[in-house]
Amino acid sequence: MQCVILAGGLGTRMRPLTDTCPKTLLPVRGRPFAHHQLHWLAAQGVNEVVYCIGHRGDLIRRYWAMEPCPVRSIRWVDEGDRLRGTGGALRLAFEQGVLDESFLVIYGDSFLPVRFAPVWQAFEASRQPALMTVLRNEGRWDSSNAIYQNGRVALYDKNHTPEMSYIDYGLLAFTRQLFAGAPSEAFDLAALLHQLSLDGQLAGFEVSERFYEVGSAAGLLELDRYLADREPVRV
């Protein structure tokens, strides 16, 4: 499996830390978050990562140049100072020819403790151009933004409605061809996902394990506690 990591954003909610450090390198339990994320991806069968970088992307490159990498290879797509948004970053990756025919997408600040293989298998079986993992949220972590029914996301919209009880979990799958017609200018991936849901082309896969993130101070603390509970007891 190939996984694209969207790690180019400014991380404004974590300023001033992210003025000089990209979110994905913020420390968690004594190591940059990227260390925990890539080791989890490798454990789930991901063998190639495509890093879409922008803000302080040079630091991410430098880190993985010095650190033993748990995946077979890393490829880089650098937006530079002209950030293109989450959708534009994937369009740039398409233009640079680094995407597999099908691939996973995760955000550079997300830690998702679920098995990836069933998600990948569901995507292949769906015969749809995209799949979104969803979690029954009921407003627990953020505003619900999806209606999920019978293996399909019937509606994805950041504007919450009372019918919505699921939330985008943050693990996506796409076919490469989907981005052949995407705009070259900056755009948000959420807009594409919204349209796919309206067109009946967004498969869904329900997960039950909650997500973790380092995009906020509270989220970073929760992830720290979660990883601490997973560490083996030394005697």
Side-chain angles (χ1 to χ4, degrees):
M1 290 184 288
Q2 181 189 69
C3 186
V4 178
I5 301 178
L6 298 173
L10 297 173
T12 54
R13 288 189 299 162
M14 291 298 282
R15 283 176 171 165
L17 296 176
T18 48
D19 288 339
T20 56
C21 177
K23 271 191 302 185
T24 200
L25 293 185
L26 291 175
V28 183
R29 303 209 59 74
R31 291 183 178 271
F33 171 72
H35 170 90
H36 303 287
Q37 187 181 53
L38 254 70
H39 276 79
W40 180 255
L41 295 183
Q44 297 309 307
V46 172
N47 51 34
E48 181 179 79
V49 160
V50 175
Y51 257 115
C52 290
I53 57 174
H55 173 63
R56 300 314 310 262
D58 57 313
L59 298 181
I60 307 173
R61 284 181 185 263
R62 192 180 310 165
Y63 175 72
W64 285 116
M66 297 185 296
E67 181 75 10
C69 184
V71 298
R72 184 187 65 204
S73 66
I74 294 178
R75 307 181 80 173
W76 301 93
V77 176
D78 195 342
E79 299 174 71
D81 295 330
R82 183 191 161 208
L83 298 183
R84 300 166 180 250
T86 50
L90 290 174
R91 167 65 187 190
L92 183 60
F94 173 84
E95 292 172 358
Q96 295 187 1
V98 299
L99 298 177
D100 283 354
E101 184 176 345
S102 297
F103 56 94
L104 296 169
V105 172
I106 194 173
Y107 297 97
D109 61 357
S110 297
F111 189 85
L112 308 178
V114 294
R115 294 176 58 223
F116 283 24
V119 176
W120 186 254
Q121 292 162 5
F123 173 54
E124 291 185 319
S126 75
R127 299 184 180 275
Q128 297 294 343
L131 178 142
M132 173 186 287
T133 52
V134 294
L135 174 69
R136 183 175 285 277
N137 180 50
E138 307 291 357
R140 284 179 290 173
W141 291 288
D142 205 339
S143 296
S144 298
N145 54 27
I147 297 174
Y148 170 73
Q149 299 169 339
N150 302 318
R152 186 170 66 88
V153 177
L155 177 64
Y156 171 73
D157 196 325
K158 285 189 172 182
N159 296 314
H160 172 75
T161 66
E163 296 81 11
M164 292 176 171
S165 58
Y166 287 85
I167 193 169
D168 174 12
Y169 187 70
L171 177 61
L172 302 158
F174 294 104
T175 60
R176 179 178 59 209
Q177 191 59 30
L178 183 62
F179 293 91
S184 296
E185 65 271 12
F187 75 97
D188 193 332
L189 193 55
L192 174 61
L193 292 167
H194 172 67
Q195 189 59 52
L196 287 168
S197 72
L198 295 179
D199 295 340
Q201 294 185 307
L202 184 56
F205 185 90
E206 183 176 1
V207 300
S208 57
E209 180 69 48
R210 65 154 295 184
F211 53 85
Y212 296 87
E213 46 83 20
V214 295
S216 66
L220 195 152
L221 181 60
E222 288 177 338
L223 176 60
D224 187 279
R225 290 170 176 164
Y226 171 78
L227 293 176
D229 290 341
R230 288 171 51 87
E231 289 178 354
V233 177
R234 293 179 174 84
V235 295

